[in-house]
């Protein structure tokens, strides 16, 4: 069992991919010509929803979005596109990117093409969202129900039900959860052992999966947690506790790896036992580990800090302030991390490429 090092007086609040929790829904509309993607999760798949929630955890400011179309800071925690922007482009053969559900300017076409319910800072553990003032999964699910109601009013209930039935729900979770637990931001560490907390997160996964099924979900693609100990901010925070050098925090990555085994076993059990429901597991831990250990194989030069500012512990507004003082890296494609938590557009592209074979196998299974 993973054992966390003893941390004290650490004030670190992080939201990362990995997916730290993300849900994506990919569906084939009734006309059979488009692909719709609907997202639940955290900052790794939040295209700007937090811009409309009042939380401080938002980044609609330079240098975020510097490589997004028209160089717009949309609220994405990156310099450009996210995994959930590459996915609809690949599946539909277009350059479409996903929009936030709370965007007041959404049209019916936008709703039909897919929206994101994700909120930076959320996790399986509802305490994670509370720290950042983010929307927890219950609130995200409530917005999904409102989304369905809007669609039913526009295209009628039967067409909406068909769209949801054909959807593929993709879930990636637990970065914020393990972060907050490791740095004792929620008090869970006093209440639960690492093993018990992993079981708690698994029960939360089961509950949310059941809630999605109750809303009509038939197909679920689950993405595991990343090696959290490799995040630049984690390494910096650990070094500040008396270590002379920044280095990966293996205990935190190990806790995520153990949870992934539990999650994959649960996915396999559900796939074998449930009828009229398909569920697959997608690995994110392995690809990220390989990238940070063998960056040259992927064309990366820097994997231990972000491109924005100093890249050591800044993200969000702190990244913007640091960039204003220190600038940003000259070659963003050489960096895997954009800020001290989130990947660059090229980093996200590599992660989507790593997931693509499993996504293709899943869609092939569904169409057999």
């Amino acid at each position: 069992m993973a054992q966390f090092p003893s941390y004290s007086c650490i004030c670190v609040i992080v939201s990362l991919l990995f997916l730290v929790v993300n849900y994506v829904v990919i569906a084939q509309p009734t006309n059979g010509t488009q692909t719709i993607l609907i997202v639940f999760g955290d900052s790794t798949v939040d295209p700007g929803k937090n811009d409309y929630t009042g939380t401080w955890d938002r980044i609609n400011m330079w240098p975020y979005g510097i490589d997004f179309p028209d160089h717009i800071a949309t609220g994405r925690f990156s310099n450009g596109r996210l995994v959930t922007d590459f996915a609809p482009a690949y599946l539909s053969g277009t350059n479409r990117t996903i929009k936030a559900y709370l965007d007041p300017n959404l049209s019916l076409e936008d709703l039909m093409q897919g929206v994101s319910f994700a909120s930076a800072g959320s996790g399986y553990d509802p305490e994670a969202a509370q720290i950042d003032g983010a929307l927890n999964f219950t609130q995200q699910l409530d917005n999904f129900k409102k989304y369905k109601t809007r669609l039913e009013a526009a295209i009628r209930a039967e067409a909406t039900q068909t769209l949801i039935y054909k959807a593929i729900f993709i879930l990636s979770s637990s970065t914020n959860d393990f972060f907050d637990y490791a740095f004792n931001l929620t008090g869970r560490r006093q209440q639960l052992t690492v093993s018990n907390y992993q079981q708690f997160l698994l029960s939360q996964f089961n509950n949310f999966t059941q809630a999605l099924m109750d809303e009509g979900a038939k197909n679920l693609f689950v993405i595991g947690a990343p090696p959290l100990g490799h995040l630049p901010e984690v390494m910096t925070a650990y070094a500040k506790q008396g270590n002379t050098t920044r280095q990966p925090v293996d205990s935190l990555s190990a806790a995520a790896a153990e949870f992934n085994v539990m999650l994959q076993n649960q996915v396999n059990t559900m796939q074998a036992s449930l009828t009229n429901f398909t569920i697959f597991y997608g690995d994110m831990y392995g690809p990220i580990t390989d990238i940070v250990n063998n960056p040259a194989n992927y064309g990366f030069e820097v994997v231990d800090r972000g491109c924005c500012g100093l890249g050591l512990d800044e993200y969000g507004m702190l990244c913007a302030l640091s960039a204003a003082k220190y600038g940003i890296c000259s070659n963003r494609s050489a960096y895997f991390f954009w800020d001290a938590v989130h990947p660059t557009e090229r980093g996200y592209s590599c992660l989507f490429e790593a997931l693509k074979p499993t996504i293709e196998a899943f869609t092939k299974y569904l169409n057999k």
Side-chain angles (χ1 to χ4, degrees), residues 10-11 29 67 82 95 129-130 140 144 182 200 212 236 278 284:
I10 301 178
C11 186
D67 294 311
L82 311 176
N95 292 322
Q130 187 172 344
Q140 293 183 36
F144 177 61
F200 169 72
L212 292 177
T236 300
T278 302
M284 191 64 73

Side-chain angles (χ1 to χ4, degrees), residues 20-336:
V20 190
V21 183
N22 320 321
Y23 286 88
V24 181
V25 181
I26 307 169
Q28 191 69 24
T30 52
N31 63 10
T33 61
Q34 303 181 66
T35 303
I36 171 177
L37 183 132
I38 303 172
V39 183
F40 297 81
D42 66 351
S43 59
T44 59
V45 289
D46 182 351
K49 183 175 182 178
N50 274 13
D51 289 351
Y52 310 101
T53 62
T55 176
W56 65 268
D57 199 5
R58 54 189 175 190
I59 34 75
N60 53 349
M61 63 194 78
W62 184 90
Y64 286 94
I66 192 171
D67 294 311
F68 196 76
D70 298 323
H71 312 290
I72 297 175
T74 61
R76 289 168 171 81
F77 280 75
S78 186
N79 59 310
R81 293 169 291 176
L82 311 176
V83 168
T84 44
D85 292 314
F86 289 109
Y90 169 71
L91 293 169
S92 67
T94 70
N95 292 322
R96 187 173 69 240
T97 57
I98 200 163
K99 297 182 179 180
Y101 174 70
L102 292 185
D103 184 341
N105 299 315
L106 288 181
S107 65
L108 175 59
E109 181 180 5
D110 292 327
L111 294 174
M112 291 295 295
Q113 289 182 343
V115 292
S116 174
F117 299 93
S119 180
S122 60
Y124 283 134
D125 188 341
E127 294 289 336
Q130 187 172 344
I131 290 175
D132 288 351
L135 299 184
N136 60 38
F137 280 4
T138 298
Q139 293 169 311
Q140 293 183 36
L141 188 65
D142 286 343
N143 280 335
F144 177 61
K145 294 175 182 178
K146 295 175 183 178
Y147 164 79
K148 288 173 59 180
T149 299
R150 291 176 66 177
L151 284 180
E152 289 170 353
I155 64 175
R156 299 185 180 181
E158 183 177 357
T160 299
Q161 184 181 55
T162 299
L163 187 150
I164 299 302
Y165 279 5
K166 291 183 178 181
I168 300 175
F169 290 70
I170 302 179
L171 160 65
S172 175
S173 171
S174 68
T175 298
N176 288 319
D177 299 315
F178 282 114
F179 232 83
D180 297 344
Y181 180 89
F183 293 103
N184 200 27
L185 300 179
T186 63
R188 296 288 194 194
R189 191 169 176 179
Q190 275 73 46
Q191 302 167 354
L192 302 169
T193 65
V194 176
S195 178
N196 288 340
Y197 190 64
Q198 291 165 333
Q199 289 290 346
F200 169 72
L201 295 182
L202 190 65
S203 69
Q204 294 295 103
F205 159 77
N206 290 334
N207 293 340
F208 196 80
T209 299
Q210 184 61 57
L212 292 177
M213 293 171 63
D214 292 343
E215 290 301 315
K218 297 295 183 182
N219 312 297
L220 177 61
F221 186 89
V222 183
I223 301 174
L228 309 181
H230 285 282
L231 300 186
E233 185 170 17
V234 172
M235 294 190 290
T236 300
Y238 182 62
K240 288 180 178 179
Q241 298 306 296
N243 294 278
T244 58
T245 60
R246 296 173 67 249
Q247 58 188 356
V249 183
D250 293 336
S251 59
L252 187 51
S253 293
E258 291 171 356
F259 175 74
N260 285 340
V261 173
M262 298 166 60
L263 183 62
Q264 188 169 10
N265 289 339
Q266 179 65 11
V267 166
N268 292 340
T269 298
M270 295 174 69
Q271 174 64 14
S273 61
L274 296 177
T275 58
N276 298 320
F277 186 76
T278 302
I279 183 168
F280 271 41
Y281 175 84
D283 176 42
M284 191 64 73
Y285 190 101
I288 297 177
T289 300
D290 196 48
I291 288 174
V292 296
N293 288 335
N294 304 285
N297 292 347
Y298 299 86
F300 291 112
E301 299 174 9
V302 182
V303 294
D304 63 347
R305 64 183 186 276
C307 169
C308 181
L310 295 177
L312 299 178
D313 56 9
E314 315 97 317
Y315 82 103
M317 184 173 294
L318 293 179
C319 161
L321 293 173
S322 183
K325 183 176 181 178
Y326 301 105
I328 59 177
C329 63
S330 59
N331 183 5
R332 295 183 285 277
S333 294
Y335 282 66
F336 177 71

